Amino acid sequence: MKTSDFNFHLPDELLAEHPSEHRDEAKLMVLNRATQTIEHKKFKDVVDYFNEHDLFIFNDTKVFPARLFGNKEKTGAKIEVFLLRELDKETRVWDVLVDPARKIRIGNKLFFTEDEGLVAEVIDNTTSRGRTLRFLYDGSYEEFRAKLKELGQTPLPKYIKREVEPEDAERYQTIYAKHEGAVAAPTAGLHFSKHLMKKLEIKGIDFAEITLHVGLGTFNPIEVEDLSKHKMESEEAIITQKNADIINKAVTEQRRVCAVGTTTMRAIETSVSSNKKIGPYHGWTNKFIFPPHDFGVANAMITNFHTPKSTLMMMVAAFAGKDFLMQAYEEAVKNEYKFYSYGDAMLII
């Protein structure tokens, strides 16, 4: 498989700038792998495809407001700082992306408040846009994190050209988000409403949760034609013993097991053993899934529509079958499904 095998024409107007008004009212395309048929539904209809004791696995990561704006010392130039990950809690050292990067060198200081209460010093260059910052803040760690949250903006994807709106803070977050650490939302989960979760519960559907803190590496473009040469950036994944047991029970009983999103799928495929059992896991994963791939746990998947030649699209192609997925994407464009983070959804069974 080559990167160019996953190209298709995506009109700009199909990139969703705003979410649907109600979470579960987005369009849902249902792909049946056994019959090779496609149905067009609403997301709330997902409940009709599952029975009592089938299992949904959710990614309960929580997005933090990772986009900050500071001013460079002396020149006052406005610099965007995108927080990627905390490297050292004690010394308040972070990996970040800066824009424009050409202006930011080791030793520069960035000021985030007029009273100079929050300052960062550049201590390393990591990539062309990557920097390591040490934050200087006169207060406790909790106060420092509260200040980052106060100044930070919801990290909407770059393709969304509009300004961040107040409601993005709530809508770019799943309703079951618990553990803060992601810089992008696990977007398949954005379609679940409290009402839909209740309907699934009443039907007797079981739930399990994993945590995978989504990083920007998920969205990095692939710059090689040979997929085996692409390196994914690592993301932190956590699966508890309790949730591993819930998943293993469903697999043993041959229930339908649905991974909600590519991030959930990456986490469970990282921790599954050759006998198709999930073990507890806390570590980093750079697993890149593309066709052909033998999936160990999930036999159903919910996902969004992804951009051409993306690693996300490749994982879904490995699950649905590449030709069937390309057919579905063609149909999605024809029927004006919305793509990407705030877009419509797909159920593959």
Side-chain angles (χ1 to χ4, degrees):
M1 286 279 173
K2 304 190 298 295
T3 301
S4 54
D5 292 335
F6 297 89
N7 201 11
F8 65 95
H9 174 61
L10 177 58
D12 288 346
E13 63 270 19
L14 294 187
L15 287 173
E17 288 269 321
H18 289 88
S20 54
E21 191 181 346
H22 302 290
R23 288 178 183 267
D24 56 15
E25 287 286 338
K27 291 181 183 176
L28 177 71
M29 183 184 282
V30 183
L31 276 62
N32 187 313
R33 293 179 294 172
T35 60
Q36 294 285 290
T37 52
I38 293 173
E39 293 178 277
H40 301 282
K41 300 283 186 176
K42 289 279 191 194
F43 192 79
K44 60 188 178 186
D45 299 324
V46 77
V47 68
D48 299 335
Y49 293 87
F50 294 87
N51 298 312
E52 189 179 4
H53 295 309
D54 285 345
L55 179 68
F56 276 62
I57 310 173
F58 297 102
N59 181 3
D60 65 7
T61 188
K62 191 171 189 177
V63 180
F64 66 92
R67 186 170 277 128
L68 299 171
F69 292 92
N71 297 96
K72 190 180 170 187
E73 66 176 335
K74 295 183 182 145
T75 67
K78 188 179 181 184
I79 306 293
E80 178 184 311
V81 173
F82 196 103
L83 302 171
L84 288 179
R85 67 172 67 105
E86 185 176 51
L87 299 178
D88 191 315
K89 189 174 171 177
E90 297 301 314
T91 56
R92 298 174 188 175
V93 171
W94 284 70
D95 257 346
V96 304
L97 296 177
V98 293
D99 191 21
R102 67 183 184 281
K103 296 183 176 181
I104 302 303
R105 298 185 174 88
I106 293 172
N108 287 161
K109 283 194 174 145
L110 300 171
F111 296 87
F112 296 93
T113 56
E114 283 186 18
D115 65 0
E116 300 184 7
L118 181 65
V119 182
E121 183 183 4
V122 182
I123 60 173
D124 197 10
N125 289 344
T126 51
T127 62
S128 59
R129 284 181 60 215
R131 302 290 184 271
T132 305
L133 299 188
R134 178 187 290 116
F135 283 95
L136 311 168
Y137 181 76
D138 187 17
S140 69
Y141 178 75
E142 288 68 28
E143 288 167 331
F144 164 64
R145 288 302 296 247
K147 180 56 76 174
L148 289 183
K149 196 169 280 193
E150 177 197 323
L151 296 173
Q153 284 188 1
T154 302
L156 292 182
K158 276 284 188 193
Y159 79 86
I160 293 182
K161 303 299 182 203
R162 63 173 173 81
E163 290 294 304
V164 173
E165 296 164 6
E167 49 267 43
D168 288 317
E170 181 261 333
R171 279 302 271 114
Y172 196 62
Q173 198 82 268
T174 63
I175 60 166
Y176 46 77
K178 284 182 188 157
H179 303 293
E180 196 170 80
V183 298
T187 54
L190 296 179
H191 301 290
F192 286 85
S193 64
K194 285 180 180 165
H195 181 65
L196 179 57
M197 295 291 275
K198 199 69 191 163
K199 280 175 74 175
L200 291 166
E201 217 177 289
I202 289 166
K203 195 163 184 179
I205 309 293
D206 294 331
F207 300 151
E209 292 173 337
I210 60 88
T211 306
L212 184 133
H213 292 314
V214 189
L216 286 185
T218 299
F219 308 105
N220 279 353
I222 298 182
E223 291 169 348
V224 290
E225 182 66 353
D226 180 352
L227 295 184
S228 66
K229 292 187 165 55
H230 177 68
K231 296 287 183 285
M232 292 284 284
E233 279 187 38
S234 293
E235 297 171 314
E236 188 179 12
I238 303 153
I239 302 175
T240 65
Q241 183 68 60
K242 178 188 166 190
N243 283 289
D245 291 344
I246 293 169
I247 296 166
N248 290 334
K249 185 173 188 287
V251 171
T252 302
E253 294 175 357
Q254 298 184 317
R255 304 285 183 186
R256 182 165 274 174
V257 176
C258 182
V260 178
T262 56
T263 59
T264 299
M265 189 69 91
R266 181 179 293 117
I268 58 180
E269 284 298 303
T270 296
S271 66
V272 70
S273 63
S274 55
N275 65 356
K276 301 200 185 302
K277 287 285 187 287
I278 291 279
Y281 186 87
H282 189 170
W284 295 81
T285 176
N286 62 355
K287 194 169 189 67
F288 175 29
I289 298 172
F290 58 92
H293 181 82
D294 181 25
F295 289 84
V297 176
N299 49 28
M301 181 182 191
I302 290 169
T303 188
N304 281 28
F305 289 89
H306 305 294
T307 46
K309 300 195 286 190
S310 62
T311 59
L312 307 169
M313 182 187 176
M314 290 165 187
M315 180 196 287
V316 180
F319 191 76
K322 190 247 175 191
D323 292 342
F324 191 28
L325 186 75
M326 295 307 279
Q327 180 195 333
Y329 270 48
E330 206 175 288
E331 191 146 331
V333 170
K334 190 173 74 184
N335 287 277
E336 298 186 341
Y337 277 70
K338 292 289 189 179
F339 278 67
Y340 220 36
S341 300
Y342 274 156
D344 294 312
M346 176 186 284
L347 168 66
I348 307 161
I349 53 176

